[in-house]
Amino acid sequence: VIVDRGTKRSHPNWHPHYGPLPAEAVFPLTDCLAQVIRHHSAEDALMVLESAVNLGLISLTDARVLIAGTSGRKQHALRFFDPGAESGSETRLRLWLQQHQVQVKPQIDIPGVGRVDFLVGKSLLLECDSRTHHQYRDEDYRRDMAARALGYTPVRLSYRQLFDDWTDTQEYLLRLLRTRRHHRPPRPY
């Protein structure tokens, strides 16, 4: 909630607004995004900003202007902005991998498998299944089987794993990455 600067903040999620108040009851989207960037974590800001670009609600230029207008520390964290992210789940996972200096390529097309959310290293495939796609479909089974036959290691992560059980998921991913198997090229069998 955004309140006028003269209003007493009685809730931790209320943020003061320092510009002129809009003539309408709803603030412009870029003002709302600027508030998210200013008052929330870099991860939350990236998820919201990348989703806004992906949905066509703001332009890539608008996003870059918003990032350029942030403080140095926050701007440094927002350097991971990627307009190709298709969901908050993807943003969260990609950002975590990048912050751990893990080589990650988003939205990669693998012949025989199709487009995958992430190729980590040379052979680990990470897929983020959103709430909408929280159950395996026949196509997911086919793609995973094709990826394994080509020597890749597919791992699907659900919305729950990426948000509700994020700590456990991070520990799992760290254990998986420590094996360094993802550095090996895929070997078909």
Side-chain angles (χ1 to χ4, degrees), residues 103-184:
Q103 178 190 3
V104 58
K105 294 178 186 174
Q107 304 303 329
I108 297 295
D109 188 51
I110 297 179
V113 176
R115 193 171 74 168
V116 298
D117 292 336
F118 300 108
L119 171 62
V120 177
K122 296 177 182 174
S123 60
L124 177 61
L125 305 180
L126 296 178
E127 293 276 16
C128 301
D129 293 336
S130 66
R131 281 189 189 179
T132 306
H133 306 291
H134 68 279
Q135 292 181 330
Y136 265 77
R137 300 173 308 198
D138 288 342
E139 179 63 11
D140 295 329
Y141 287 116
R142 185 207 63 78
R143 287 167 40 94
D144 289 354
M145 194 166 32
R148 284 189 189 93
L150 292 170
Y152 291 96
T153 304
V155 174
R156 289 188 176 276
L157 299 170
S158 69
Y159 178 90
R160 176 172 281 145
Q161 290 170 309
L162 289 164
F163 288 94
D164 300 336
D165 303 327
W166 182 225
T167 301
D168 292 339
T169 302
Q170 290 175 76
E171 291 170 8
Y172 166 77
L173 291 170
L174 284 173
R175 284 192 307 274
L176 186 63
L177 294 169
R178 284 185 193 123
T179 69
R180 305 187 58 77
R181 289 184 205 141
H182 62 288
H183 290 294
R184 299 178 195 155

Side-chain angles (χ1 to χ4, degrees), residues 17-114:
H17 179 70
Y18 296 103
L21 292 175
E24 304 163 6
V26 177
F27 280 85
L29 181 58
T30 54
D31 287 359
C32 296
L33 292 169
Q35 290 291 324
V36 170
I37 292 169
R38 173 187 254 159
H39 297 290
H40 295 271
S41 71
E43 179 187 57
D44 287 344
L46 274 178
M47 284 191 283
V48 171
L49 195 58
E50 289 179 358
S51 291
V53 170
N54 177 260
L55 293 170
L57 300 175
I58 64 168
S59 69
L60 185 55
T61 301
D62 289 338
R64 290 189 172 133
V65 167
L66 285 164
I67 291 170
T70 63
S71 66
R73 191 172 135 231
K74 181 77 63 103
Q75 193 176 71
H76 179 72
L78 294 175
R79 75 188 182 281
F80 294 114
F81 173 77
D82 181 352
E86 295 182 349
S87 70
S89 300
E90 288 181 21
T91 299
R92 171 170 258 195
L93 183 56
R94 187 197 74 245
L95 178 62
W96 183 84
L97 291 163
Q98 290 170 322
Q99 289 173 333
H100 284 83
Q101 287 84 44
V102 175
Q103 178 190 3
V104 58
K105 294 178 186 174
Q107 304 303 329
I108 297 295
D109 188 51
I110 297 179
V113 176

